[in-house]
Amino acid sequence: MVGAGLGVWKLMRGVRQLELHRLILALIIFCLLSMAFLAYYVSNSPKIKEAPPLPFSDCGGGGGMSPGASTGAAGGGPGVQRAPLFLPQRQGRLRQVKAVDNSRTEPVVLVFVESIYSQLGQEIIAILESSRFHYRTEIAPGKGDMPTLTEHNRGRYTLIIYENVLKYVNLDAWNRDLLDKYCVEYGVGVIGFFKANENSLLSAQLKGFPLFLHSHLGLRDYRINPNAPLLYITKPNQVEQGSLPGDDWTIFQSNHSTYEPVLLASTKSSEALAHFGPSPLRALYATVVQDLGLHDGIQRVLFGNNLNYWLHKLVFVDSIAYLTGKRLCLSLDRHILVDVDDIFVGKEGTRMKVSDVEALLNTQNKLRALVPNFTFNLGFSGKFYHTGTDEEDRGDDMLLQHRMDFWWFPHMWSHMQPHLFHNVSVLAEQMRLNKVFAQEHGIPTDMGYAVAPHHSGVYPVHSQLYEAWKSVWGIKVTSTEEYPHLRPARYRRGFIHNGIQVLPRQTCGLFTHTIFYNEYPGGSKELDKSIRGGELFLTVLLNPISIFMTHLSNYGNDRLGLYTFESLVKFVQCWTNLRLQTLPPVRLAEKYFQIFPEERDPLWQNPCHDKRHKDIWSKEKTCDRLPKFLVIGPQKTGTTALHSFLSLHPAVTSSFPSTTTFEEIQFFSGANYDNGIDWYMDFFPFPSNVSTDFMFEKSANYFDTEAAPKRAAALLPRAKVLAVLINPSDRAYSWYQHQRAHQDPAALNNTFHAVVTAGPSGPRDLLALQRRCLHPGAYAPHLERWLQHYQPSQLHIVDGALLRSNPALMMEGIQRFLGVTPIFNYTQALMYDDSKGFWCQRVEGGRAKCLGKSKGRKYPEMSPELRAFLAGHYREHNMELLRLLNRLGHALPSWLRQELQSWS
């Protein structure tokens, strides 16, 4: 019995252990399943939405100095003493200040930088470029000569900027005297920066000035002096509270009445300036001062740090305006337009709900009180209407319910990129679907504005898009961030193509994925920094017209679009005198091209040199159809003969002939340029071998057309350039005879002598003929213009006289310059034709195939008297050419050597 009982006990014990193991295993499986379910739920369920961030409050929290407060002193509380060594405001002092008059100078800024890589120098240039001000940079000389400051009794520069003011004050006596006399005589001011480094003294007097510098300071609570004369955009009613970044600030102190503080701050600690005596409690010290010119007749603005701090950028812009007499200055008007792209587009969970639309309307009404006519501009793709959650679909309906409260513009129906459509009719049909949707839902369709998804087809130009836009929607205006390139943003410009005005579009830091404040890339402080004096603020400051790109998702979720623009508007109005307003796109475009008329004409770039551009360019197009070299002229120097010789080479292919200009395309030199690069590339075949095939075009009027070098270099920056030069006297006479043969009345009714000797009061048609005879022959300045855009190694000068007498020799040199292979034997390919008087192609049977009868015309010799007159006219021009060719290391043409011998 005992044994049986023991057996039962062991059995029961085993069963219990088995059940325990099963229980533990079941618990483990349950925990794993729970974790998996929880992970699935967390990842797929909508986030618990926090309350959207509140925009910045109205101006306040600073108590900036009132207009009657003393400057250079503490912020305006009772018992606060003035900082030492700055004189109180005196009305009589400002009456002594001369009004800035630099009208005898060119509107160009001369910037002395420490190096081409210095950060401050690049920031100065960035602001000048953003403002579209012309400038020239020079490495600040420690020793050595100043650049030439005057030309023909006019100043070449209207403002001088020194990245390091010490380079200015430590100039040698000769150059300093030269610069100071220039500034006094031409009314030119100086802006200088002092950024303390480890070698800077704690205190020092600025050499030659009654001004003391105290460096390596930590400062706080920035204020603006309302009495500073330079203030224009800057509004002096705020205090920027808190510590200023860094402990390397410099303050200025002086007893001289010429110095007026602009920006002031207090030190972080009372011991900061103990090394030069006690200072009043909460005293303010100037970090930016304006020299009124009462000391030496030169007005200046000096900064005690660089431009890293946003308020310095604002005052720097005002300094430029003041010291140039507002010649380099934008008006106070700023036009902003906020586009909301992708209406009805977006995945579930990111779209607008009813409460978001209500917030959009509420914010729009608040902004209208601050920005006249402010209206959100909504871009829609109708195919995606009602494709969200039920709550988001109700948001779609509410948008349409309030459709007349907004402006509307079309995207593509299916939000596809237009450059993917190669047929205009198919593209237009997609647009019609969107238009039908708009008409069915009462969306206004007469704004005349559209935006392509991802800016596809706008730039680089997809001509089918422009045609479809005009035929379906009657589009007059669009915008893009891609012209001429996305980055840097300060280079974005507008242009007009095929009757459609293209405006630059700006980003504002909000993209489709930036939908939560606390998840903003880099942290929410990065968005606030952009608004409060950063990139977004500077965009408004430096651009008279700004179209901002935002997205539907920026107005749902945390409504960052509303937060950003309400905060931005309030910040701008707190700190500046800018007048913000909104205009509909067509009126905005009219305003833009009134301000910047020079931007009406585009500058076509090579799409294959920018990856973004290549990605939104039709795959049916290829840059391989662009030429590798150009024959640029000038006219009547033998360029047609050169064109025919080059075309004989088996590896060289010329452009197709034009029905109007024959072997010349004349793209870069005239109205054909407006047709765009698609039109240009149609003149070239698809190369059979990209590496060995050399395509080219010849247009002889490129040589002396002012716009041609810049246009050519933008599209063909790696091309090589051939210019054919003959004696300019012979070229002038040949052009005259050419015009007679083409029945030009001015040439038929006037002798060559009358043409070239006509005075400035002569008939208009006679003077036009004279210019075309004489102007292209002033070779040096035309070549210099090409050399501004091409390297000397890309330019080859062809001796036109030798091309006529010994073409085989010339063609061998040209082949080596181009790098074309194999070397073609022109000695066998050409033969001299006695009847024509020049070399022609040798064809079967030993016969000559020459150019048409319009080439090689016979006409009377030029008289010796006229040849002598023209030799005198071109003598200085030929000397310029001589100096240029010597500088480039080019051999002198035979005709130029003969001219030199005739002078000796």
Side-chain angles (χ1 to χ4, degrees), residues 506-511 513-514 520-521 527 530 535-536 548-550 554 560 564-565:
Q506 306 295 344
T507 55
C508 62
L510 300 181
F511 304 95
H513 60 279
T514 47
Y520 189 85
L527 176 59
S530 177
E535 183 177 353
L536 187 53
F548 289 107
M549 174 180 68
T550 63
N554 305 137
L560 292 189
T564 296
F565 286 100

Side-chain angles (χ1 to χ4, degrees), residues 12-28:
M12 294 295 295
R13 182 182 178 190
V15 168
R16 287 194 198 101
Q17 287 179 340
L18 182 61
E19 289 177 348
L20 181 62
H21 289 160
R22 286 177 176 173
L23 179 62
I24 292 173
L25 181 61
L27 285 172
I28 291 173

Side-chain angles (χ1 to χ4, degrees), residues 606-837:
N606 190 314
C608 298
H609 295 169
D610 184 320
K611 185 182 182 302
R612 285 181 61 92
H613 289 176
K614 196 171 181 180
D615 289 343
I616 54 174
W617 199 41
S618 171
K619 298 299 183 282
E620 291 191 351
K621 301 172 186 178
T622 171
C623 296
D624 296 337
R625 293 182 72 185
L626 293 171
K628 289 186 178 179
F629 69 96
L630 303 172
V631 178
I632 62 171
Q635 292 165 311
K636 308 311 295 179
T637 60
T639 55
T640 302
L642 177 58
H643 175 274
S644 68
F645 296 160
L646 286 165
S647 299
L648 298 177
H649 197 295
V652 175
T653 304
S654 172
S655 57
F656 300 135
S658 164
T659 56
T660 56
T661 50
F662 309 106
E663 80 275 10
E664 298 194 352
I665 303 177
Q666 298 183 3
F667 177 66
F668 299 111
S669 54
N672 288 336
Y673 190 71
D674 296 334
N675 295 328
I677 65 171
D678 290 359
W679 179 90
Y680 183 59
M681 289 194 300
D682 283 343
F683 280 92
F684 299 93
F686 287 94
S688 57
N689 188 314
V690 174
S691 60
T692 61
D693 287 3
F694 279 70
M695 292 193 296
F696 81 102
E697 65 126 328
K698 185 273 287 189
S699 294
N701 62 358
Y702 289 170
F703 180 79
D704 56 289
T705 299
E706 187 170 347
K710 183 177 182 179
R711 290 173 172 178
L715 183 61
L716 309 171
R718 299 165 190 165
K720 294 189 175 182
V721 177
L722 302 178
V724 185
L725 303 186
I726 66 172
N727 189 312
S729 301
D730 293 330
R731 199 218 69 85
Y733 188 50
S734 180
W735 180 258
Y736 169 77
Q737 294 294 345
H738 173 82
Q739 292 302 95
R740 282 181 63 87
H742 284 78
Q743 304 300 303
D744 179 357
L748 293 173
N749 297 327
N750 294 278
T751 65
F752 184 54
H753 179 274
V755 172
V756 298
T757 60
S761 60
R764 181 178 298 178
D765 62 342
L766 178 62
L767 294 179
L769 177 59
Q770 181 192 68
R771 177 174 175 80
R772 292 308 305 153
C773 284
L774 299 179
H775 178 68
Y779 294 142
H782 301 309
L783 290 171
E784 290 278 19
R785 188 164 54 246
W786 281 90
L787 288 168
Q788 289 175 6
H789 301 281
Y790 284 96
Q791 295 297 317
S793 60
Q794 293 175 273
L795 175 66
H796 185 70
I797 305 296
V798 179
D799 184 337
L802 281 180
L803 182 66
R804 185 182 183 95
S805 64
N806 191 353
L809 178 64
M810 286 291 95
M811 295 307 297
E812 182 177 345
I814 290 171
Q815 290 181 81
R816 297 192 186 283
F817 166 72
L818 295 174
V820 62
T821 55
I823 297 296
F824 186 64
N825 188 341
Y826 279 94
T827 302
Q828 296 178 357
L830 301 177
M831 64 181 293
Y832 188 78
D833 185 281
D834 292 318
S835 62
K836 277 286 189 180

